Amino acid sequence: MKIAISTGGGDAPGLNAVIRAVVLASIRRGWECWGIRDGFNGLLDPQQCTGEPVMRLDATSVYGIGALGGTILGSTNRADPLHYPVRQADGSVGEIDRTEELARLLRENGFDAVVSVGGDGSMAIAAALHDKGVRVVGVPKTIDNDLDHTFATFGFDTAVGFATECIDRLHSTGYSQHRVMVVEVMGRYAGWIALHAGMAGGAHAILIPEIPYELAAVAAAIRARDAAGHHHSLVVVAEGAEPVRGERTVLAGAETGRLERLGGVGARVEHELAGLTGKECRSVVLGHLLRGGSPSAFDRVVASRFGAAAVRALALGQGGVMVALGDGAIGTVPLSEVAGHTKTVPLDSDTLATARELGICLGDQA
Amino acid sequence: MKIAISTGGGDAPGLNAVIRAVVLASIRRGWECWGIRDGFNGLLDPQQCTGEPVMRLDATSVYGIGALGGTILGSTNRADPLHYPVRQADGSVGEIDRTEELARLLRENGFDAVVSVGGDGSMAIAAALHDKGVRVVGVPKTIDNDLDHTFATFGFDTAVGFATECIDRLHSTGYSQHRVMVVEVMGRYAGWIALHAGMAGGAHAILIPEIPYELAAVAAAIRARDAAGHHHSLVVVAEGAEPVRGERTVLAGAETGRLERLGGVGARVEHELAGLTGKECRSVVLGHLLRGGSPSAFDRVVASRFGAAAVRALALGQGGVMVALGDGAIGTVPLSEVAGHTKTVPLDSDTLATARELGICLGDQA
Amino acid sequence: MKIAISTGGGDAPGLNAVIRAVVLASIRRGWECWGIRDGFNGLLDPQQCTGEPVMRLDATSVYGIGALGGTILGSTNRADPLHYPVRQADGSVGEIDRTEELARLLRENGFDAVVSVGGDGSMAIAAALHDKGVRVVGVPKTIDNDLDHTFATFGFDTAVGFATECIDRLHSTGYSQHRVMVVEVMGRYAGWIALHAGMAGGAHAILIPEIPYELAAVAAAIRARDAAGHHHSLVVVAEGAEPVRGERTVLAGAETGRLERLGGVGARVEHELAGLTGKECRSVVLGHLLRGGSPSAFDRVVASRFGAAAVRALALGQGGVMVALGDGAIGTVPLSEVAGHTKTVPLDSDTLATARELGICLGDQA
Amino acid sequence: MKIAISTGGGDAPGLNAVIRAVVLASIRRGWECWGIRDGFNGLLDPQQCTGEPVMRLDATSVYGIGALGGTILGSTNRADPLHYPVRQADGSVGEIDRTEELARLLRENGFDAVVSVGGDGSMAIAAALHDKGVRVVGVPKTIDNDLDHTFATFGFDTAVGFATECIDRLHSTGYSQHRVMVVEVMGRYAGWIALHAGMAGGAHAILIPEIPYELAAVAAAIRARDAAGHHHSLVVVAEGAEPVRGERTVLAGAETGRLERLGGVGARVEHELAGLTGKECRSVVLGHLLRGGSPSAFDRVVASRFGAAAVRALALGQGGVMVALGDGAIGTVPLSEVAGHTKTVPLDSDTLATARELGICLGDQA
């Protein structure tokens, strides 16, 4: 048996632990294990890759990598095989589906199966490969925690842990300077990181994509704290958080133009809260800091279990499935059921209820 | 409504986050909230307590404590109300059941309900109070992760995280000095901490109470690593790990006496592995280091959810239950079902299978 | 003896450790110790302050604060007593010198001496107070490490440590995504943080105010790495770093306008390097994250020594001096010699030479 | 030019950063750089070494190692060339001086110069090699900070930082359980680690080799805290701390025997304080945890500067010297002046004075 492993999309802490587990569990069964560089680009576009586009992986290749962030294989979301960018006759850039070709290349390279690690996009590619006769097992990866069908995956815990550490730090400077500190974290469609890091870090307001926000409510919460003698406040904002319709009322005319030029939602919230409260506000964008770094113990263990479970699934003859964490145990889900489901924060979750009971403003008038 | 909160048994990171959540969620409902010092000793033995044996808790009392380790209420397992130590007429120490008296004291102090945070022992006390007419909700606490009926609780994640950091550190010194490093971690009846920290930290052998160990197997694994050019090895041992019957063969005569004098299992394993492998071995006992410190983000969130859920249960008129984490959501379990069930590592768990597939020796001949 | 302590300017990790040491060392001598809120605003503008504008400090007030970031007294640079903002008759804002009034207020409050903790600005205020007959001892504070006359001060080590941790994190994501990561750190006039964190974090280029940069040199270094098979690069930029004269050639016309709107130097470098190298670039601004957080052990010790030394100086009858760290021992420097000297990175320092020998590009053509 | 680098004695965080700097600074000058395994054993006893006993080092060999603990070359103090163990005719183990042979082997291998990184012992070997005509530059290494002639070296800051983190953790569990926590740290001849970590961690008593201790004084300090309502105390003990003469009075007869069997000074202090105060005491030995782990930013920078300075010294034709950190700048000291001087904590240092002024008991009756 000869298998290939690929890591796609944005990187997340734990990818290397998955790779290590896949390699060690394969070797133990006498299989041969190879890594494809840069998602599937090592096969589709080998001349663009660093070093060997497809590399043999043995115990030495993965020695000690379980504790390292990133992925030794490289990871990219720039050239999705389902929507591969091509320059067209008229000079514009179009896209084509190259999964048929990818399936052929995998066969030509002698791969009996593929372990594809990635998010929603990678699972869609994996499903397409499965439809074209490739035996493939997916491993879910999403730092945002927004993949459905799995209780948890790796990367999220590390991101929440570091975001919490950053919030802890901003408390002390905010306190000393009587400021409102606004922290923007990842989370385009789901507010998991903002909610968990905000609760853990003792934030006073948390704005998530699931709840359109009114900054008037946040400003009222900040004023209430001021009145109680607490002159600093900490607001955590998910990058995908959006105001309720029609809220852009604070800044008019030329100012609106300036607002548009401000980067993300963090800068916008900082700017508007300064206007609404008259207080000094500062924003920090954690962004890339949350992707890197050594994975937390939790993420290393889950990633290892996923990698080993993927090999176990292949050993059992399975294909077309994604490994997933159920209530304490690893199982599998058909790839066909996975794609396109985003797991957002349920509005009736006890975590949201807890946030409110701790006195955290969620940007609505509740 | 006037409620009391008590924290019992050994401390675990997250206790203060529970207290904070109980207090804030109570205040929000207009309730009055009090803390009992040192388990239930603030009521049973007030003159032995520091400061006020029963203290009013308001928003100021719990400001910022969510990120702090330990418990502001103190915590003790020396004077269990069910088995309270008393000096008898003949000078010896016996024990009596003081839960009846405790129930009376709670009523006399005007408490309508109690939130009792603790482990197995505290849940047994809570069950006894419930039987005596006290409305009580339990919050599970076990750093060892060995409480049944709840998917997870606080403290464990922090302990595993710090143990992993320590193992990471011991790798580099072990590597440089070609040594076998033995790390003893908590876990009297269950090997969860050893298993998770060992896997996350890249240990080469993990010994847990669930699998009686043969050091000959560990020594063979160490020799195999030596033969492959890896001259250091890292062994994680749970404090409750035990050898298979009849294994104490390495040291004879006077030496056995010396062995007995060695502290815990870590020192024993160090000593015997040195004899079996001829390599330099060193052991480190993490013990108390794992109980202290600021809780991880995960533990802060779970602890907050537990605290808020306990108050929510009381608001719904519940009593005689323990809050518990199911598959993603908080629920309750009758206290009568909780006591006496230890959740050990299932021998067929995928985590153990993963450990073996990563090449980790589990001390048996598998 | 009754003394006052004030913390001014931006906050830095270690301020609370100074306060604690001043208080404990004073109490031990039987002195009375008070804290002034928000720099000197507790006296000059008491109605603007939170809670008590001047607060009695005893052992309980400072219990456990040595490990906390920020300052319990608050800290501000908005209302410098030497240049106090006043609204003038015509509505514009002017400024007046209120140090005479401040000296009077200190006397009226019965303070025999003042410990003034802060940076260049605070030392100038301290010198002015000394000239007006107030016995004052300064404690140097600068997170940027740019105060002359002292070998080191607190805050810098914590900032460098956390910046290094952030750089470590950005390596793994940069590596996986083949990106150029640009990290902007504090350092308006001096590049100490950038230089030390960049060297510790293994940066490939470091841009500091002391060396005007040419991005062409940085781009060449990045291309050389690419050619050697290293497709990610990490650039650390001090906020005060500036291009050599005339370098703004990359972007012309409308683009230049857009560039101007980009925030700081980090965004500018990111943008221009993308143009020069054709690689994906991302920037992160660490800013406020570096001010907050628990001080490092080094900073706690230095801060404690400074606080105790300030009290010792007062006990010896000294005034008009700043405590300073010489070669291993604490001494004092006349305040009159302190002001206005910025300690920049010497161009002939062995640290800069080391950076070059490690192959780090410093933005010049050397 | 062809140079060799060797790391000897116990490992310390920063060794790899020295190696990296030596290699990169050498390559930059067009030199060839080799590493000797396991101190000098790669030459003296090659068959005992892992892999290649002498290994070529290039930029790839040292890529990214600056952030790693330990030493890629291995490090040993078991076979000191000056006192090399040999089995004699009668079966006993004697020792011989093999530095003459080592000098010959270095010449035979074509090495023009040697960079020898290590502590007191390694500097003595380096001095001997210098006397025998080998060009050698020493780099000081001591985690205990007890090497004279250099203001600071690497390893100490990392050890103090981690010890402080451990003490921070023990505070919360000690507080919750009303216990006395005793922490034993490294420091056989000098108390630098204990003093700095103890001050930074807010210890209540610190025992160092420089001040013979009386536990009666420590017990009195603990009782005074109890009386003031603080029922936990934290005692930091350097492994080399010793009681004043005749203090072993607590335990008599059979008990004394048991005491002797207790491991180090930490267990002894725990045991005796329990007897003297009647309080629950627990001890933790940090030992090996302090040697490992990723070096702090400070240590990485100092180690890099030392490595580059050693190469610079060689480039200037120097030999027989040790690089050293003076007041902010790197210099060199003749090896002949280095050996045998231990830098202990001066009894009149302001750091000790500060400790007393913070109310820390130093084990004497002062």
Side-chain angles (χ1 to χ4, degrees):
Chain A
M1 184 102 157
K2 178 178 170 184
I3 71 166
I5 177 165
S6 141
T7 54
D11 58 307
L15 283 170
N16 279 328
V18 176
I19 295 169
R20 174 172 174 263
V22 169
V23 171
L24 295 179
S26 297
I27 289 173
R28 205 173 171 81
R29 286 176 169 85
W31 302 357
E32 210 175 272
C33 197
W34 292 73
I36 305 174
R37 284 266 188 202
D38 299 339
F40 287 107
N41 280 20
L43 288 174
L44 291 176
D45 213 356
Q47 70 281 12
Q48 272 212 1
C49 288
T50 329
E52 306 159 274
V54 182
M55 61 192 288
R56 179 73 182 269
L57 297 173
D58 58 14
T60 304
S61 326
V62 299
Y63 195 81
I65 69 170
L68 302 181
T71 158
I72 58 167
L73 295 177
S75 166
T76 178
N77 44 12
R78 271 172 300 170
D80 179 346
L82 280 166
H83 308 279
Y84 205 88
V86 282
R87 187 159 299 272
Q88 291 173 309
D90 64 355
S92 70
V93 175
E95 58 175 55
I96 53 170
D97 180 343
R98 292 184 68 186
T99 52
E100 186 76 55
E101 182 188 357
L102 179 55
R104 182 173 51 74
L105 287 165
L106 286 163
R107 276 189 294 268
E108 286 175 8
N109 277 270
F111 293 122
D112 300 302
V114 176
V115 175
S116 174
V117 193
D120 221 39
S122 296
M123 293 308 115
I125 298 163
L129 290 174
H130 174 68
D131 291 345
K132 289 167 183 72
V134 177
R135 191 132 73 87
V136 57
V137 171
V139 173
K141 179 224 69 180
T142 158
I143 207 162
D144 290 347
N145 196 36
D146 62 357
L147 262 178
D148 211 352
H149 297 289
T150 186
F151 178 69
T153 185
F154 56 89
F156 173 69
D157 186 65
T158 306
V160 169
F162 189 68
T164 301
E165 189 188 330
C166 290
I167 296 171
D168 281 352
R169 293 181 159 265
L170 294 171
H171 268 294
S172 55
T173 187
Y175 171 85
S176 300
Q177 306 281 335
H178 312 317
R179 280 175 179 159
V180 176
M181 307 301 290
V182 178
V183 192
E184 183 184 316
V185 299
M186 288 187 298
R188 200 155 300 177
Y189 309 111
W192 295 106
I193 292 180
L195 180 59
H196 282 244
M199 278 180 67
H204 308 109
I206 301 174
L207 308 180
I208 59 176
E210 291 85 347
I211 304 178
Y213 65 76
E214 294 182 62
L215 288 183
V218 180
I222 291 168
R223 274 192 298 263
R225 280 182 53 77
D226 259 314
H230 300 300
H231 296 291
H232 79 292
S233 290
L234 210 142
V235 181
V236 177
V237 194
E239 61 180 329
E242 292 199 338
V244 294
R245 221 160 59 89
E247 216 232 339
R248 297 194 170 229
T249 52
V250 177
L251 306 171
E255 276 298 289
T256 314
R258 194 170 144 236
L259 186 60
E260 240 103 73
R261 291 194 303 266
L262 292 172
V265 64
R268 179 177 193 269
V269 167
E270 170 198 350
H271 190 80
E272 299 207 1
L273 282 180
L276 286 167
T277 64
K279 292 182 72 72
E280 273 194 27
C281 299
R282 293 287 185 275
S283 65
V284 175
V285 181
L286 297 186
H288 306 286
L289 292 171
L290 301 185
R291 286 206 178 278
S294 179
S296 71
F298 180 91
D299 283 342
R300 297 186 202 177
V301 172
V302 167
S304 301
R305 290 170 69 190
F306 275 159
V311 172
R312 226 176 285 133
L314 289 176
L316 291 169
Q318 287 188 280
V321 296
M322 180 183 88
V323 296
L325 183 62
D327 189 0
I330 302 271
T332 57
V333 191
L335 277 168
S336 54
E337 291 180 14
V338 169
H341 290 79
T342 299
K343 182 176 66 178
T344 55
V345 180
L347 295 183
D348 63 349
S349 80
D350 82 272
T351 310
L352 274 185
T354 300
R356 289 189 201 280
E357 290 177 314
L358 295 175
I360 299 171
C361 171
L362 296 175
D364 50 8
Q365 301 290 2
Chain B
M1 183 102 156
K2 178 178 171 184
I3 70 167
I5 177 165
S6 141
T7 53
D11 58 307
L15 283 170
N16 279 328
V18 176
I19 296 170
R20 174 172 174 262
V22 169
V23 171
L24 295 179
S26 297
I27 290 174
R28 206 173 171 81
R29 286 175 168 86
W31 303 357
E32 210 174 273
C33 198
W34 293 72
I36 305 174
R37 283 269 187 198
D38 299 339
F40 286 107
N41 280 19
L43 287 174
L44 291 177
D45 212 356
Q47 70 282 12
Q48 272 213 0
C49 289
T50 329
E52 305 160 273
V54 182
M55 62 193 287
R56 180 73 183 269
L57 298 172
D58 58 14
T60 303
S61 326
V62 298
Y63 195 81
I65 68 169
L68 302 181
T71 158
I72 57 167
L73 295 177
S75 166
T76 179
N77 44 12
R78 271 172 301 171
D80 179 348
L82 281 166
H83 308 279
Y84 205 87
V86 282
R87 187 160 296 272
Q88 292 174 307
D90 64 356
S92 69
V93 175
E95 58 175 55
I96 52 170
D97 180 345
R98 291 184 68 186
T99 52
E100 187 77 55
E101 182 189 356
L102 179 57
R104 181 174 52 75
L105 287 165
L106 286 163
R107 275 189 295 268
E108 286 175 8
N109 277 269
F111 293 122
D112 300 301
V114 176
V115 175
S116 173
V117 193
D120 221 39
S122 297
M123 293 308 116
I125 299 164
L129 290 174
H130 174 68
D131 291 345
K132 289 167 183 72
V134 178
R135 191 132 74 86
V136 57
V137 171
V139 173
K141 180 225 69 181
T142 157
I143 208 162
D144 290 347
N145 196 37
D146 61 357
L147 261 178
D148 211 352
H149 298 289
T150 185
F151 177 69
T153 185
F154 56 90
F156 173 69
D157 186 65
T158 305
V160 169
F162 189 68
T164 300
E165 188 188 331
C166 289
I167 296 172
D168 282 351
R169 292 180 160 265
L170 294 172
H171 268 295
S172 56
T173 187
Y175 171 85
S176 300
Q177 307 280 337
H178 313 318
R179 281 176 177 157
V180 176
M181 307 300 290
V182 178
V183 191
E184 182 184 316
V185 298
M186 287 186 300
R188 200 155 300 177
Y189 309 111
W192 295 107
I193 292 180
L195 181 59
H196 281 245
M199 280 181 66
H204 307 109
I206 301 174
L207 309 180
I208 59 177
E210 292 84 348
I211 304 179
Y213 64 78
E214 296 182 60
L215 288 183
V218 180
I222 291 169
R223 275 191 298 261
R225 280 181 54 78
D226 259 313
H230 299 301
H231 296 292
H232 79 292
S233 290
L234 210 142
V235 181
V236 177
V237 194
E239 60 180 330
E242 291 199 340
V244 294
R245 220 161 59 91
E247 217 230 340
R248 295 193 171 228
T249 54
V250 176
L251 306 172
E255 277 297 290
T256 313
R258 196 173 141 233
L259 187 61
E260 239 102 74
R261 292 194 302 266
L262 293 171
V265 66
R268 180 178 192 269
V269 167
E270 170 198 351
H271 190 79
E272 299 208 0
L273 283 180
L276 286 167
T277 64
K279 293 182 71 73
E280 274 194 25
C281 299
R282 294 287 185 278
S283 65
V284 176
V285 182
L286 298 185
H288 306 287
L289 293 170
L290 302 183
R291 286 206 178 278
S294 180
S296 71
F298 180 91
D299 283 342
R300 296 187 202 176
V301 172
V302 168
S304 300
R305 290 169 69 191
F306 275 159
V311 172
R312 225 176 287 133
L314 289 177
L316 291 169
Q318 288 187 280
V321 296
M322 181 183 87
V323 297
L325 184 62
D327 190 359
I330 302 270
T332 55
V333 192
L335 278 169
S336 54
E337 290 179 16
V338 169
H341 290 78
T342 300
K343 182 175 67 177
T344 55
V345 179
L347 294 183
D348 63 349
S349 81
D350 82 273
T351 309
L352 274 186
T354 299
R356 290 189 201 279
E357 290 177 315
L358 295 175
I360 299 171
C361 171
L362 296 175
D364 50 8
Q365 300 290 3
Chain C
M1 183 103 157
K2 178 178 171 184
I3 71 167
I5 177 165
S6 141
T7 54
D11 57 308
L15 283 170
N16 280 328
V18 176
I19 296 169
R20 174 172 174 262
V22 169
V23 171
L24 295 179
S26 298
I27 289 174
R28 205 171 171 82
R29 286 176 169 85
W31 301 357
E32 210 175 90
C33 198
W34 293 72
I36 304 174
R37 284 268 186 199
D38 299 339
F40 287 107
N41 280 20
L43 287 174
L44 290 176
D45 213 356
Q47 71 280 13
Q48 272 212 1
C49 289
T50 329
E52 305 159 274
V54 181
M55 62 194 287
R56 178 74 181 270
L57 297 173
D58 58 14
T60 304
S61 326
V62 299
Y63 195 81
I65 69 170
L68 302 181
T71 158
I72 57 167
L73 295 177
S75 166
T76 179
N77 44 11
R78 271 173 300 171
D80 180 347
L82 280 166
H83 308 279
Y84 206 88
V86 282
R87 187 159 297 272
Q88 292 174 308
D90 65 356
S92 69
V93 175
E95 57 176 55
I96 53 170
D97 179 345
R98 292 184 67 186
T99 51
E100 187 77 54
E101 182 188 356
L102 179 56
R104 183 176 49 76
L105 287 165
L106 287 163
R107 275 188 294 267
E108 287 176 8
N109 277 268
F111 293 121
D112 300 301
V114 176
V115 175
S116 173
V117 193
D120 221 40
S122 296
M123 293 308 115
I125 299 163
L129 290 175
H130 173 68
D131 291 345
K132 289 166 182 73
V134 178
R135 191 132 72 88
V136 58
V137 171
V139 173
K141 179 225 69 182
T142 157
I143 207 162
D144 290 347
N145 196 37
D146 62 357
L147 261 178
D148 211 351
H149 297 288
T150 186
F151 177 69
T153 185
F154 56 89
F156 173 68
D157 185 65
T158 305
V160 169
F162 189 68
T164 300
E165 188 188 331
C166 290
I167 295 172
D168 281 351
R169 293 182 159 265
L170 294 171
H171 268 295
S172 56
T173 187
Y175 171 86
S176 301
Q177 307 280 336
H178 312 317
R179 280 175 178 159
V180 176
M181 307 301 289
V182 178
V183 192
E184 182 184 317
V185 299
M186 287 187 298
R188 200 155 301 176
Y189 309 112
W192 295 106
I193 292 180
L195 180 59
H196 281 244
M199 279 180 66
H204 308 109
I206 301 175
L207 309 180
I208 59 176
E210 291 85 348
I211 303 178
Y213 65 77
E214 295 182 61
L215 287 183
V218 179
I222 292 168
R223 274 193 298 263
R225 280 183 53 78
D226 259 313
H230 299 301
H231 297 291
H232 79 292
S233 289
L234 210 143
V235 181
V236 176
V237 194
E239 61 180 329
E242 290 199 340
V244 294
R245 219 160 59 89
E247 217 231 340
R248 296 193 172 227
T249 54
V250 176
L251 306 172
E255 277 299 290
T256 313
R258 194 170 144 239
L259 187 60
E260 238 103 73
R261 292 193 303 265
L262 292 172
V265 65
R268 180 178 191 269
V269 167
E270 169 198 350
H271 190 80
E272 298 207 1
L273 282 180
L276 286 167
T277 64
K279 293 182 72 72
E280 273 194 27
C281 299
R282 294 287 184 278
S283 66
V284 175
V285 181
L286 297 186
H288 306 287
L289 292 170
L290 302 184
R291 285 206 179 278
S294 180
S296 71
F298 180 91
D299 284 342
R300 296 186 202 177
V301 172
V302 168
S304 300
R305 290 170 69 191
F306 275 159
V311 172
R312 225 176 286 134
L314 289 177
L316 292 168
Q318 288 188 280
V321 296
M322 181 183 87
V323 296
L325 184 61
D327 189 359
I330 302 270
T332 57
V333 192
L335 278 169
S336 54
E337 291 179 15
V338 169
H341 290 78
T342 299
K343 181 176 67 177
T344 56
V345 180
L347 293 183
D348 62 351
S349 80
D350 81 273
T351 310
L352 274 186
T354 299
R356 289 190 202 280
E357 290 177 314
L358 296 175
I360 298 171
C361 171
L362 296 175
D364 50 8
Q365 300 291 2
Chain D
M1 183 103 158
K2 179 178 171 184
I3 71 167
I5 177 166
S6 142
T7 52
D11 57 307
L15 283 170
N16 279 327
V18 176
I19 296 170
R20 175 172 174 262
V22 169
V23 171
L24 295 179
S26 297
I27 289 174
R28 204 173 172 82
R29 286 176 169 85
W31 301 356
E32 210 175 272
C33 198
W34 293 72
I36 304 174
R37 284 268 186 199
D38 298 340
F40 287 108
N41 280 19
L43 287 174
L44 291 176
D45 212 356
Q47 69 281 13
Q48 271 212 2
C49 289
T50 329
E52 305 159 273
V54 181
M55 62 192 287
R56 179 73 182 270
L57 297 173
D58 59 13
T60 305
S61 325
V62 298
Y63 195 81
I65 69 169
L68 302 182
T71 159
I72 57 167
L73 295 176
S75 166
T76 178
N77 43 11
R78 271 172 299 170
D80 179 346
L82 281 167
H83 308 279
Y84 205 88
V86 282
R87 187 161 297 273
Q88 292 174 306
D90 64 356
S92 69
V93 176
E95 59 175 54
I96 53 170
D97 179 345
R98 293 184 66 186
T99 52
E100 187 77 54
E101 182 189 356
L102 178 57
R104 182 175 50 74
L105 288 166
L106 286 163
R107 275 189 295 267
E108 286 175 8
N109 278 269
F111 293 122
D112 300 302
V114 176
V115 175
S116 174
V117 193
D120 220 39
S122 297
M123 293 308 116
I125 299 165
L129 289 174
H130 173 68
D131 291 345
K132 290 167 182 72
V134 178
R135 191 132 72 87
V136 58
V137 171
V139 173
K141 179 225 71 180
T142 158
I143 207 163
D144 289 347
N145 197 38
D146 61 357
L147 261 178
D148 210 351
H149 297 289
T150 186
F151 178 68
T153 184
F154 56 89
F156 173 68
D157 186 65
T158 305
V160 169
F162 189 68
T164 301
E165 189 188 330
C166 289
I167 296 172
D168 281 351
R169 293 181 159 265
L170 294 172
H171 267 296
S172 55
T173 187
Y175 172 84
S176 301
Q177 307 281 334
H178 312 319
R179 280 174 178 160
V180 176
M181 306 301 290
V182 178
V183 192
E184 182 184 316
V185 299
M186 287 187 298
R188 200 155 301 176
Y189 308 111
W192 295 107
I193 293 180
L195 180 60
H196 282 244
M199 278 180 67
H204 307 108
I206 302 175
L207 308 181
I208 58 176
E210 291 85 348
I211 304 178
Y213 63 77
E214 296 183 61
L215 288 183
V218 179
I222 291 169
R223 276 192 297 263
R225 281 182 52 78
D226 260 314
H230 300 301
H231 296 292
H232 79 293
S233 290
L234 210 142
V235 181
V236 176
V237 193
E239 60 179 331
E242 291 199 339
V244 294
R245 219 160 60 89
E247 216 229 341
R248 296 193 171 230
T249 53
V250 176
L251 306 171
E255 277 297 289
T256 313
R258 197 173 139 233
L259 187 60
E260 238 103 73
R261 291 194 303 264
L262 292 171
V265 65
R268 179 178 192 269
V269 167
E270 169 199 350
H271 190 81
E272 298 207 1
L273 282 180
L276 286 167
T277 64
K279 291 182 71 75
E280 273 194 26
C281 300
R282 294 287 185 276
S283 66
V284 176
V285 181
L286 298 185
H288 306 286
L289 292 170
L290 301 183
R291 285 208 178 277
S294 180
S296 72
F298 180 92
D299 283 341
R300 297 186 201 177
V301 171
V302 168
S304 300
R305 290 169 69 192
F306 275 159
V311 172
R312 223 176 287 133
L314 289 176
L316 291 169
Q318 288 188 280
V321 296
M322 181 184 87
V323 297
L325 184 62
D327 189 359
I330 301 272
T332 56
V333 192
L335 278 169
S336 54
E337 291 180 14
V338 169
H341 291 78
T342 300
K343 182 176 66 178
T344 55
V345 180
L347 294 183
D348 62 349
S349 80
D350 82 273
T351 310
L352 274 186
T354 299
R356 290 189 201 280
E357 290 177 315
L358 295 174
I360 299 172
C361 170
L362 296 175
D364 50 7
Q365 300 290 2

